[in-house]
Amino acid sequence: MKKATFTSTETAWCPGCGNHAILETLIGVLNQLETPPHQVVLVGGIGQAAKLNQYVTANGFSGLHGRALPAAVAIKIANDKLTVIVNTGDGDSYGEGGNHFIHNIRRNVDITHFVHDNQIYGLTKGQPSPTSDSCDLSHKTTACNMSAPFNPLLIAIATGATFVARSFSGDKEHLAKIMHAAIKHQGYSLVDILQPCVSFNKINTFAYYKKRVKPLDQSYDASNKLAAMEKAMEFGETIPIGILYQEQSPTYEEKRPELFDTIPLVDKQVSPEKIKKLIQGYI
Amino acid sequence: MYNILLGGAAGDGIETMSSLLEKILKQSGCHLFTMRDFMSRVRGGHNFAQIRFSNVPINAHRDMLDGIFAIDETTYLEHQPQLSENGFILCDESLAIDDPRVLKLPLKDIAKTIGNPKVISSVAIGALLKIFNLSLEHANTALKASLRSDLIDINLSALQQGFDLTTPRFSLKAAKTADYILLSGNTAIGLGALAAGMKFYSAYPMSPSTSLLEFFNAHGDEMEIAVEQAEDEIAAINMAIGASYAGVPAMTGTSGGGFSLMVEALGFTGIAEIPLVAVDVQRPGPATGLPTRTEQSDLKFVISASQGEFPRMVIALTDHSDCFYQAARSFSLAWKYQIPVILLTDQYLADSATTIPLLDSSAVITYQAPELAPLSDDEPYRRYALTESGISPSRIPGKTEALVRIDSDEHDEFGQITESATVRNQMVQKRMSKLDLLKEELIEPEFWGANQCQSLLVGFGSTSGAIKEAVDLLNAKEMNYGALIFGDIYPLPTKRLKHFATQVIEIINVEQNATGQLASLIREETLISCHHSILKYDGRQLSVDDILMGIKNLKGGF
């Protein structure tokens, strides 16, 4: 049998959408891994970003809006031999799925979470998302936040995330490097990927991001949590991209050695003898 | 058969005392049934456990009491109307209870002398055992099973000193209960799920389903299963769905409020054809309702919950044995048909404890998926392949080269999103056609009573024991009563009901809700109308006595 590779199929995204570059980059990264397509599960919620897993030749779990993370962690718990990657949007991850975003950081299951952050709702045609910029009250536009914008990276670091990064769909080389590092990281990894929405976001355009994104210096120390939190608060004339914070702390799997041994849960057999004994305990 | 009540405020240790007494009774050769009535508070208020025991198996509680153990005056005031004329009230001598039936003992003083005020309940248990002419012979075993080793000696001493305070008033010939087990309804569900091969349980704590989560937490490591306390019920069910997709039999459990949050994901299992077992331990609603009490008012909700249409199965659990065997069967059905199966139980069944014949885990039939033909290079795996039965061969991601793609959007055979009208029709028909097969293996409602009955009671779930006992008592006078008790309730099995409907003069629905939801479902599915209803919705379980009273009222007195 020929070696299976990851390929993409025709997409339903707008021409010029940042998702195309994310898809192309992800395919490239996946093909560099040793893992074959049938060992990779792409999980998504609902939205333009979540459609990505429809377009890749891998296992695909297209779930409910906002609910990709709980399903993804359970897939990983069920079979820790699988590589589990979530691709979904800013509305899905930070709005509808906000509660899961916070609590799955705390779980630190070894999954990768790519948030395609275009700072707007695309599929529903142009409403502000949690990450949309603050409204300039003297010059109101349609897609801005009257509420305070949500800072996903700051929240992730504060909540104990062990890998927190930002990249940009317009810099494929950078994106590929970050995606690769995120997948390799042991534990939950978050990559907030800035991408333009060509149809609805007239503020945060390709040119807007291109002008502002700035890779972190070589000297940047990603293990310094307080410095990382400060860095996460920079979002304006310059937007830092790169791995803002990374630490190795015990993963969900490592904290449960009785469950995660050499045999994945999917292959374990609940012992009939043990059950019989358990029932007899009620005599 | 005897019936006693132990009552006090939350925090007084009624729960610990009743579970210890239950174990001693069981070891002494008694069958028993304990109903638990808690308030939704950690301290104060009024909680009680009603233990009915005998030398024959018991399936329900009764109202009339032979004895009350009262920690406080409230217990006496609340329950003295239930106490029989020759019954007794056992309490500490300090209580202001003025009743010829009262038996005041220096319980507190003895506990104080022993050196731990908490052993008061053991002093009382000792006194109770003597009153019923039971020995202390089995107390040691029961104490060892219930208490920390350093507490056993002082409790043994407390039991003995209490025992010495009273004299026998009642007597019970012991039965053989060595082949029986004593457990709660939720424990039985947990054991059934494990016996069926469940390996993933996710839930958010919610009364009265929490004891299921606690059961799996207590046994998770030993059984090598994953147990995850989710951040909310939405996460709980989506986790279970993820695990199931990845090939691990999964279950989630909650009560009505949590089930409300799970509804969107329930529909997801329907369209994505992901097998799942969901337990709804009902409590009175709507919204927060009566958190620690009981009701059967989620029936119409769970059979129709979610937008859109898809096949599902709902099984109402009738008693403790049923909890085990149906929980196990639910996995087989969910995995065979790739549908959600909802187990409908309630606080009464969840928290009550009873003695039942030893459960047989080897009798549990687990579903074995048929062997699949190997994939060819030319034809990718079709997760939603159109088949005659509507059931598509499933694969586990990562276990073969097949790429398993599922979708909450409408999809084609490959799991690829589609808006094609043709494919939509095919997929709706495929999913719904699974019901044709499922309907062939439904279990008809259990019939109880006289075959030639003129009056037919219909009920479902946890009222089973009370309905059966009421029918037996009614038939002692005239062999005129029968009952159909539904376990499989959706899709509704109708054969046996249609048979009896042509024979009887009247059908009476007996339900723990205000609107007669079973009667409504029966009417919708069969055009058969119930003539009368016996309904209860105060949060307290319908008893044998309530049913007898209901029948009496319908007849305008015997």
Side-chain angles (χ1 to χ4, degrees):
Chain A
M1 193 181 246
K2 66 179 189 297
K3 186 176 177 292
T5 52
F6 295 86
T7 54
S8 65
T9 56
E10 194 191 328
T11 78
W13 290 319
C14 310
C17 172
N19 279 131
H20 295 287
I22 298 173
L23 173 63
E24 200 185 310
T25 310
L26 180 63
I27 295 276
V29 170
L30 289 172
N31 277 324
Q32 280 171 17
L33 299 174
E34 299 286 292
T35 321
H38 73 273
Q39 296 287 2
V40 172
V41 183
L42 297 181
V43 182
I46 294 297
Q48 294 292 22
K51 283 182 184 169
L52 180 140
N53 72 48
Q54 292 269 334
Y55 307 140
V56 183
T57 53
N59 292 298
F61 183 103
S62 300
L64 294 171
H65 188 53
R67 317 302 169 198
L69 283 176
V73 301
I75 292 167
K76 185 71 182 179
I77 292 168
N79 186 351
D80 56 332
K81 301 270 190 275
L82 296 171
T83 299
V84 180
I85 301 169
V86 177
N87 276 282
T88 200
D90 42 324
D92 187 296
S93 298
Y94 307 141
E96 189 90 14
N99 202 25
H100 312 309
F101 176 63
I102 290 168
H103 294 287
N104 283 299
I105 289 172
R106 294 173 48 233
R107 286 193 176 92
N108 201 28
V109 176
D110 186 15
I111 62 168
T112 306
H113 187 185
F114 295 139
V115 182
H116 307 198
D117 187 357
N118 55 11
Q119 301 186 263
I120 202 157
Y121 282 56
L123 192 55
T124 53
K125 304 190 176 176
Q127 301 76 25
S129 90
T131 52
S132 296
D133 289 345
S134 277
C135 293
D136 175 353
L137 294 180
S138 60
H139 179 70
K140 252 178 96 175
T141 53
T142 49
C144 64
N145 248 319
M146 288 298 285
S147 306
F150 185 84
N151 186 330
L153 303 190
L154 184 59
I155 285 184
I157 298 166
T159 313
T162 54
F163 184 105
V164 180
R166 182 188 285 126
S167 190
F168 171 45
S169 68
D171 185 346
K172 286 187 201 165
E173 200 184 320
H174 185 269
L175 181 60
K177 206 174 71 193
I178 299 290
M179 278 181 160
H180 193 267
I183 294 169
K184 287 287 170 199
H185 175 75
Q186 300 282 307
Y188 170 81
S189 46
L190 170 71
V191 185
D192 189 74
I193 305 168
L194 299 172
Q195 62 149 135
C197 173
V198 290
S199 295
F200 299 108
N201 194 334
K202 305 298 180 196
I203 303 166
N204 312 105
T205 59
F206 182 84
Y208 172 97
Y209 289 129
K210 188 83 189 159
K211 195 176 126 198
R212 287 168 172 79
V213 295
K214 187 174 168 242
L216 293 165
D217 289 345
Q218 288 284 347
S219 61
Y220 180 79
D221 175 11
S223 68
N224 183 333
K225 199 164 190 168
L226 279 175
M229 289 173 88
E230 260 184 57
K231 195 51 91 179
M233 286 190 275
E234 280 178 33
F235 197 99
E237 285 314 306
T238 59
I239 303 172
I241 58 172
I243 301 168
L244 273 73
Y245 184 67
Q246 184 170 18
E247 67 168 85
Q248 280 307 326
S249 64
T251 62
Y252 181 97
E253 295 88 331
E254 285 163 352
K255 282 191 264 187
R256 289 166 179 76
E258 66 288 340
L259 195 61
F260 297 95
D261 47 24
T262 51
I263 305 166
L265 185 61
V266 66
D267 293 328
K268 283 192 197 310
Q269 294 295 326
V270 178
S271 149
E273 281 312 308
K274 276 190 189 169
I275 290 161
K276 225 170 145 182
K277 211 176 130 210
L278 185 61
I279 293 172
Q280 275 167 344
Y282 292 90
I283 283 180
Chain B
M1 192 167 304
Y2 298 112
N3 198 13
I4 57 170
L5 182 144
L6 320 174
D12 278 345
I14 291 301
E15 171 57 28
T16 315
M17 179 179 174
S18 64
S19 74
L20 178 59
L21 179 55
E22 282 165 16
K23 288 194 182 85
I24 298 174
L25 288 170
K26 159 78 169 56
Q27 298 296 333
S28 308
C30 295
H31 291 281
L32 61 95
F33 187 99
T34 306
M35 177 193 69
R36 294 195 156 78
D37 188 298
F38 312 122
M39 292 183 77
S40 181
R41 55 196 289 175
V42 178
R43 289 281 183 272
H46 175 59
N47 284 358
F48 65 90
Q50 230 170 276
I51 308 179
R52 205 180 164 203
F53 57 101
S54 170
N55 49 19
V56 292
I58 312 167
N59 296 308
H61 72 289
R62 291 291 304 260
D63 294 346
M64 183 70 88
L65 298 168
D66 299 298
I68 294 172
F69 167 64
I71 290 258
D72 51 17
E73 282 99 355
T74 309
T75 301
Y76 167 73
L77 294 171
E78 285 277 326
H79 300 287
Q80 62 87 13
Q82 289 168 252
L83 189 64
S84 73
E85 262 177 54
N86 58 350
F88 64 90
I89 305 129
L90 180 73
C91 64
D92 184 67
E93 55 193 4
S94 63
L95 261 57
I97 295 173
D98 183 20
D99 190 301
R101 298 168 294 183
V102 77
L103 181 61
K104 291 187 182 181
L105 300 173
L107 304 172
K108 277 186 189 163
D109 281 351
I110 292 175
K112 215 170 150 188
T113 319
I114 291 172
N116 186 339
K118 282 187 177 166
V119 301
I120 186 171
S121 54
S122 289
V123 182
I125 288 174
L128 285 168
L129 290 173
K130 182 76 155 294
I131 290 174
F132 288 96
N133 203 16
L134 293 160
S135 76
L136 284 181
E137 195 188 332
H138 303 283
N140 203 359
T141 331
L143 281 177
K144 273 186 184 154
S146 314
L147 294 176
R148 273 199 344 246
S149 56
D150 58 315
L151 295 172
I152 290 177
D153 281 349
I154 55 166
N155 277 281
L156 270 179
S157 161
L159 281 168
Q160 186 64 53
Q161 294 191 51
F163 195 79
D164 294 341
L165 291 176
T166 50
T167 51
R169 292 192 183 196
F170 305 93
S171 185
L172 192 71
K173 194 169 171 285
K176 283 208 169 79
T177 54
D179 291 338
Y180 281 74
I181 55 175
L182 169 67
L183 78 186
S184 73
N186 272 0
T187 301
I189 293 175
L191 291 169
L194 289 174
M198 186 210 81
K199 290 190 285 188
F200 189 99
Y201 184 77
S202 45
Y204 184 83
M206 181 175 190
S207 298
S209 68
T210 313
S211 55
L212 252 182
L213 176 62
E214 288 175 342
F215 171 83
F216 289 124
N217 264 330
H219 301 290
D221 289 357
E222 168 199 354
M223 292 293 148
E224 295 183 85
I225 60 162
V227 184
E228 189 60 22
Q229 182 176 318
E231 55 272 24
D232 54 33
E233 287 86 350
I234 300 174
I237 188 169
N238 281 283
M239 283 179 175
I241 292 170
S244 175
Y245 161 79
V248 168
M251 181 163 93
T252 182
T254 184
S255 187
F259 199 89
S260 299
L261 296 182
M262 293 183 178
V263 165
E264 188 191 22
L266 186 76
F268 174 32
T269 67
I271 193 167
E273 302 189 54
I274 293 176
L276 183 76
V277 176
V279 188
D280 175 10
V281 189
Q282 298 168 98
R283 69 192 217 190
T288 313
L290 292 168
T292 58
R293 303 199 172 274
T294 201
E295 201 159 86
Q296 295 183 305
S297 51
D298 292 355
L299 174 62
K300 294 206 84 174
F301 170 49
V302 298
I303 66 176
S304 59
S306 170
Q307 73 275 31
E309 298 162 307
F310 59 92
R312 77 184 81 192
M313 173 144 186
V314 181
I315 303 173
L317 303 174
T318 57
D319 59 34
H320 294 66
S321 291
D322 200 50
C323 284
F324 175 83
Y325 292 108
Q326 293 304 325
R329 173 171 168 254
S330 68
F331 280 85
S332 154
L333 292 169
W335 265 259
K336 177 175 176 185
Y337 294 101
Q338 301 170 17
I339 56 168
V341 177
I342 298 154
L343 295 174
L344 198 57
T345 174
D346 54 37
Q347 182 270 330
Y348 177 73
L349 190 50
D351 292 334
S352 63
T354 190
T355 44
I356 54 169
L358 185 63
L359 296 166
D360 182 4
S361 52
S362 61
V364 166
I365 298 159
T366 48
Y367 173 67
Q368 295 294 332
E371 285 282 321
L372 297 181
L375 288 175
S376 75
D377 265 1
D378 322 320
E379 201 193 349
Y381 169 64
R382 289 174 298 152
R383 171 64 191 87
Y384 301 106
L386 295 170
T387 62
E388 208 171 314
S389 65
I391 303 168
S392 315
S394 67
R395 295 249 168 155
I396 294 173
K399 305 309 288 179
T400 68
E401 305 236 331
L403 301 179
V404 186
R405 309 169 71 113
I406 63 99
D407 202 338
S408 72
D409 279 277
E410 190 56 274
H411 42 257
D412 63 14
E413 288 184 275
F414 299 98
Q416 203 71 22
I417 186 168
T418 182
E419 294 190 33
S420 151
T422 311
V423 177
R424 165 69 178 175
N425 283 337
Q426 285 171 336
M427 285 296 157
V428 171
Q429 285 153 14
K430 161 192 152 55
R431 290 191 290 267
M432 295 315 291
S433 72
K434 295 192 283 189
L435 278 175
D436 298 340
L437 257 186
L438 175 65
K439 279 178 180 168
E440 284 176 25
E441 61 174 300
L442 291 178
I443 300 173
E444 290 289 322
E446 182 184 7
F447 179 75
W448 191 266
N451 269 314
Q452 298 307 314
C453 61
Q454 298 289 295
S455 294
L456 182 72
L457 308 185
V458 292
F460 69 101
S462 72
T463 49
S464 167
I467 292 175
K468 287 180 185 173
E469 194 168 333
V471 164
D472 285 345
L473 291 168
L474 289 162
N475 282 345
K477 291 184 183 161
E478 41 176 341
M479 289 296 283
N480 207 12
Y481 287 87
L484 284 177
I485 297 144
F486 287 85
D488 284 6
I489 196 160
Y490 193 84
L492 187 75
T494 57
K495 288 191 192 104
R496 200 168 276 171
L497 175 68
K498 282 178 178 164
H499 164 76
F500 279 99
T502 59
Q503 168 192 318
V504 299
I505 295 169
E506 58 175 4
I507 302 176
I508 304 160
N509 58 303
V510 179
E511 304 183 50
Q512 187 86 30
N513 59 52
T515 54
Q517 299 188 16
L518 173 64
S520 165
L521 177 63
I522 287 174
R523 203 158 56 237
E524 183 182 324
E525 297 286 328
T526 65
L527 297 178
I528 295 168
S529 293
C530 294
H531 306 84
H532 307 287
S533 298
I534 297 173
L535 304 173
K536 196 178 184 201
Y537 41 87
D538 61 3
R540 279 78 178 166
Q541 180 79 357
L542 204 110
S543 68
V544 178
D545 309 271
D546 289 321
I547 298 171
L548 295 177
M549 185 59 77
I551 300 275
K552 196 172 164 186
N553 290 341
L554 289 175
K555 298 184 103 174
F558 284 107

